[in-house]
Amino acid sequence: MSHKILIVEDEELIRFGLQENLEMENYTVETAEDGEMAIEKIDSFKPDLVLLDLMLPKKSGIEVCRVIRKKRPQTYIIMLTAKTDETSKVLGLEIGADDYVTKPFSLMELLARIKAFLRRAPEASSVAETASEDDDIVEFADLRIDFKKFEATKNNEPLKLAAKEFEILKYFWQHRGEVIKRDDLLKNLWGYTSETMPTTRTIDNYIANLRKKIEVNSTTPKIITIPTVGYKFNV
Ligand code: CA
Protein backbone atom coordinates (compact mmCIF):
# COMPACT_ATOMS: atom_id res chain seq x y z
CA MET A 1 0.00 0.00 0.00
CA SER A 2 1.18 3.48 -0.72
CA HIS A 3 -0.02 6.87 0.41
CA LYS A 4 -2.83 8.42 -1.60
CA ILE A 5 -2.54 11.86 -3.12
CA LEU A 6 -5.33 13.80 -4.80
CA ILE A 7 -4.27 16.49 -7.26
CA VAL A 8 -6.88 19.21 -7.76
CA GLU A 9 -5.81 21.45 -10.62
CA ASP A 10 -7.62 22.75 -13.69
CA GLU A 11 -4.47 23.42 -15.72
CA GLU A 12 -3.91 20.21 -17.62
CA LEU A 13 -0.14 20.51 -17.99
CA ILE A 14 0.46 21.05 -14.30
CA ARG A 15 -1.98 18.28 -13.40
CA PHE A 16 -0.36 15.72 -15.69
CA GLY A 17 3.15 16.81 -14.71
CA LEU A 18 2.40 16.40 -11.02
CA GLN A 19 0.62 13.09 -11.53
CA GLU A 20 3.51 11.66 -13.52
CA ASN A 21 6.11 12.71 -10.97
CA LEU A 22 4.14 11.53 -7.96
CA GLU A 23 3.43 8.16 -9.57
CA MET A 24 7.15 7.81 -10.23
CA GLU A 25 7.60 8.24 -6.47
CA ASN A 26 5.17 5.33 -6.02
CA TYR A 27 2.26 7.29 -4.60
CA THR A 28 -1.29 6.32 -5.52
CA VAL A 29 -2.61 9.32 -7.40
CA GLU A 30 -6.03 10.52 -8.51
CA THR A 31 -6.85 13.85 -10.07
CA ALA A 32 -9.74 16.30 -10.18
CA GLU A 33 -10.04 19.25 -12.53
CA ASP A 34 -12.66 21.28 -10.68
CA GLY A 35 -13.88 21.90 -7.15
CA GLU A 36 -16.97 19.70 -7.34
CA MET A 37 -15.05 16.72 -8.63
CA ALA A 38 -12.52 17.29 -5.85
CA ILE A 39 -15.19 17.05 -3.16
CA GLU A 40 -16.57 13.83 -4.65
CA LYS A 41 -13.09 12.33 -4.63
CA ILE A 42 -12.54 13.20 -0.97
CA ASP A 43 -15.33 10.73 -0.17
CA SER A 44 -14.54 8.05 -2.72
CA PHE A 45 -10.71 8.13 -2.79
CA LYS A 46 -10.02 9.21 0.84
CA PRO A 47 -6.62 10.80 0.10
CA ASP A 48 -3.89 11.22 2.72
CA LEU A 49 -2.77 14.43 1.07
CA VAL A 50 -4.39 16.91 -1.31
CA LEU A 51 -2.56 19.27 -3.64
CA LEU A 52 -5.18 21.95 -4.04
CA ASP A 53 -5.14 24.74 -6.59
CA LEU A 54 -6.67 27.97 -5.28
CA MET A 55 -8.36 29.16 -8.47
CA LEU A 56 -10.67 26.40 -9.71
CA PRO A 57 -13.83 26.15 -11.78
CA LYS A 58 -17.18 25.34 -10.09
CA LYS A 59 -15.92 25.57 -6.49
CA SER A 60 -12.85 27.52 -5.37
CA GLY A 61 -9.90 25.94 -3.62
CA ILE A 62 -10.94 27.79 -0.47
CA GLU A 63 -14.40 26.18 -0.47
CA VAL A 64 -12.90 22.77 -1.19
CA CYS A 65 -10.40 23.25 1.64
CA ARG A 66 -13.17 24.01 4.12
CA VAL A 67 -15.11 20.93 3.07
CA ILE A 68 -12.04 18.70 3.45
CA ARG A 69 -11.31 20.13 6.91
CA LYS A 70 -14.82 19.28 7.98
CA LYS A 71 -15.08 15.83 6.42
CA ARG A 72 -11.57 14.50 6.92
CA PRO A 73 -9.57 16.70 9.33
CA GLN A 74 -6.53 14.41 9.19
CA THR A 75 -6.04 15.11 5.48
CA TYR A 76 -2.94 17.13 4.75
CA ILE A 77 -3.65 20.05 2.42
CA ILE A 78 -1.02 21.86 0.37
CA MET A 79 -2.41 24.84 -1.52
CA LEU A 80 -1.04 25.81 -4.91
CA THR A 81 -1.34 29.59 -5.04
CA ALA A 82 -0.51 32.09 -7.72
CA LYS A 83 0.46 35.04 -5.56
CA THR A 84 2.44 35.27 -2.35
CA ASP A 85 -0.07 37.67 -0.83
CA GLU A 86 -2.71 34.95 -0.96
CA THR A 87 -0.74 32.79 1.42
CA SER A 88 -1.74 34.55 4.62
CA LYS A 89 -5.39 33.98 3.70
CA VAL A 90 -4.76 30.36 2.84
CA LEU A 91 -3.08 29.58 6.13
CA GLY A 92 -5.63 31.69 7.98
CA LEU A 93 -7.84 30.39 10.71
CA GLU A 94 -11.01 29.61 8.86
CA ILE A 95 -9.49 28.11 5.73
CA GLY A 96 -6.89 25.98 7.41
CA ALA A 97 -4.54 24.68 4.73
CA ASP A 98 -1.42 23.02 6.12
CA ASP A 99 1.11 24.37 3.70
CA TYR A 100 1.34 26.19 0.40
CA VAL A 101 3.57 26.62 -2.60
CA THR A 102 3.54 29.63 -4.88
CA LYS A 103 3.37 29.10 -8.64
CA PRO A 104 5.64 28.62 -10.44
CA PHE A 105 6.86 26.19 -7.79
CA SER A 106 9.93 23.99 -7.64
CA LEU A 107 8.93 20.37 -8.10
CA MET A 108 11.86 19.21 -5.97
CA GLU A 109 10.76 21.40 -3.09
CA LEU A 110 7.15 20.27 -3.35
CA LEU A 111 8.20 16.61 -3.40
CA ALA A 112 10.40 17.18 -0.34
CA ARG A 113 7.49 18.65 1.59
CA ILE A 114 5.13 15.87 0.55
CA LYS A 115 7.68 13.28 1.62
CA ALA A 116 8.35 14.99 4.92
CA PHE A 117 4.70 14.84 5.81
CA LEU A 118 3.82 11.40 4.52
CA ARG A 119 6.84 9.84 6.20
CA ARG A 120 5.15 10.55 9.51
CA ALA A 121 1.55 10.01 8.48
CA PRO A 122 -0.09 6.64 8.81
CA GLU A 123 -1.84 5.57 5.60
CA ALA A 124 -5.52 6.44 5.76
CA SER A 125 -6.50 2.83 5.22
CA SER A 126 -4.20 1.49 7.93
CA VAL A 127 -4.85 3.93 10.79
CA ALA A 128 -6.54 1.27 12.89
CA GLU A 129 -3.53 -1.05 12.67
CA THR A 130 -0.79 1.37 13.66
CA ALA A 131 0.81 0.70 17.01
CA SER A 132 -0.47 2.98 19.71
CA GLU A 133 1.91 5.29 21.49
CA ASP A 134 1.60 6.70 24.96
CA ASP A 135 1.61 10.17 23.51
CA ASP A 136 -1.48 9.72 21.35
CA ILE A 137 -3.67 11.62 23.77
CA VAL A 138 -2.19 14.41 25.83
CA GLU A 139 -3.74 16.83 28.26
CA PHE A 140 -2.19 20.03 29.52
CA ALA A 141 -3.52 23.32 30.81
CA ASP A 142 -6.95 23.77 29.19
CA LEU A 143 -6.16 21.56 26.20
CA ARG A 144 -6.82 17.94 25.38
CA ILE A 145 -5.34 16.68 22.14
CA ASP A 146 -5.84 13.33 20.45
CA PHE A 147 -2.99 13.16 17.94
CA LYS A 148 -4.25 9.94 16.45
CA LYS A 149 -7.80 11.01 15.77
CA PHE A 150 -6.83 14.61 15.00
CA GLU A 151 -9.25 15.92 17.60
CA ALA A 152 -8.68 18.69 20.09
CA THR A 153 -10.63 20.52 22.76
CA LYS A 154 -9.94 23.68 24.69
CA ASN A 155 -11.90 24.08 27.94
CA ASN A 156 -13.95 21.10 26.74
CA GLU A 157 -14.99 23.02 23.61
CA PRO A 158 -13.99 21.59 20.22
CA LEU A 159 -10.87 23.28 18.88
CA LYS A 160 -10.28 23.30 15.14
CA LEU A 161 -6.69 22.63 14.21
CA ALA A 162 -5.16 21.96 10.80
CA ALA A 163 -3.16 18.75 10.28
CA LYS A 164 0.06 20.77 10.28
CA GLU A 165 -0.90 22.34 13.60
CA PHE A 166 -1.38 18.90 15.13
CA GLU A 167 2.09 18.04 13.90
CA ILE A 168 3.65 21.18 15.32
CA LEU A 169 1.92 20.61 18.66
CA LYS A 170 3.03 17.00 18.75
CA TYR A 171 6.62 18.04 18.09
CA PHE A 172 6.37 20.73 20.76
CA TRP A 173 4.88 18.23 23.21
CA GLN A 174 7.65 15.69 22.53
CA HIS A 175 10.23 18.43 23.12
CA ARG A 176 8.45 20.24 25.93
CA GLY A 177 10.73 22.24 28.20
CA GLU A 178 13.54 22.20 25.63
CA VAL A 179 14.65 25.00 23.38
CA ILE A 180 13.20 24.18 19.95
CA LYS A 181 15.16 25.69 17.09
CA ARG A 182 13.31 27.06 14.07
CA ASP A 183 15.79 25.26 11.81
CA ASP A 184 15.00 21.94 13.47
CA LEU A 185 11.28 22.52 12.97
CA LEU A 186 11.84 23.27 9.28
CA LYS A 187 13.97 20.16 8.87
CA ASN A 188 11.78 17.77 10.80
CA LEU A 189 8.31 19.00 9.92
CA TRP A 190 8.79 20.57 6.49
CA GLY A 191 11.60 18.44 5.12
CA TYR A 192 13.94 21.29 4.34
CA THR A 193 17.66 20.72 4.19
CA SER A 194 20.25 23.34 5.11
CA GLU A 195 20.58 24.09 1.37
CA THR A 196 16.88 24.72 0.81
CA MET A 197 16.16 26.50 4.10
CA PRO A 198 13.53 29.22 3.59
CA THR A 199 13.12 32.34 5.67
CA THR A 200 12.06 31.73 9.23
CA ARG A 201 8.94 33.80 8.59
CA THR A 202 7.35 30.68 7.16
CA ILE A 203 7.33 29.19 10.62
CA ASP A 204 6.45 32.40 12.39
CA ASN A 205 3.19 32.58 10.42
CA TYR A 206 2.23 29.08 11.52
CA ILE A 207 3.12 29.75 15.13
CA ALA A 208 1.19 33.03 15.12
CA ASN A 209 -1.94 31.20 13.91
CA LEU A 210 -1.46 28.42 16.42
CA ARG A 211 -1.03 30.91 19.26
CA LYS A 212 -4.34 32.54 18.39
CA LYS A 213 -5.99 29.17 18.84
CA ILE A 214 -4.33 27.78 21.95
CA GLU A 215 -3.17 30.71 24.08
CA VAL A 216 -5.43 32.15 26.75
CA ASN A 217 -3.40 35.04 28.10
CA SER A 218 0.04 36.51 27.63
CA THR A 219 1.22 36.15 31.24
CA THR A 220 1.34 32.33 31.13
CA PRO A 221 1.95 31.54 27.45
CA LYS A 222 2.25 27.94 26.30
CA ILE A 223 4.61 28.84 23.46
CA ILE A 224 7.49 31.07 24.49
CA THR A 225 9.59 32.78 21.83
CA ILE A 226 13.33 32.45 22.34
CA PRO A 227 14.70 35.43 20.40
CA THR A 228 16.71 34.57 17.27
CA VAL A 229 16.64 30.84 18.11
CA GLY A 230 13.12 29.51 18.18
CA TYR A 231 10.60 28.48 20.79
CA LYS A 232 10.04 26.72 24.06
CA PHE A 233 6.87 24.80 24.89
CA ASN A 234 6.04 25.73 28.43
CA VAL A 235 3.60 23.13 29.75
CA1 CA B 1 -6.33 27.18 -11.55
Side-chain angles (χ1 to χ4, degrees), residues 9-11 53 55-56 103:
E9 169 64 80
D10 56 321
E11 283 167 69
D53 185 28
M55 306 293 280
L56 287 168
K103 289 179 184 174

Side-chain angles (χ1 to χ4, degrees), residues 133 135-139 143-153 161 166 170:
E133 288 171 37
D135 280 351
D136 278 348
I137 299 172
V138 300
E139 288 180 55
L143 297 178
R144 181 180 192 280
I145 301 166
D146 187 330
F147 289 113
K148 207 168 176 181
K149 291 186 184 160
F150 290 84
E151 289 170 0
T153 58
L161 298 173
F166 277 104
K170 185 160 192 181

Side-chain angles (χ1 to χ4, degrees), residues 201-217:
R201 280 192 52 194
T202 309
I203 281 203
D204 293 337
N205 289 337
Y206 278 99
I207 302 296
N209 276 336
L210 187 57
R211 277 186 164 135
K212 281 184 209 155
K213 295 184 185 182
I214 68 165
E215 298 290 8
V216 180
N217 62 56

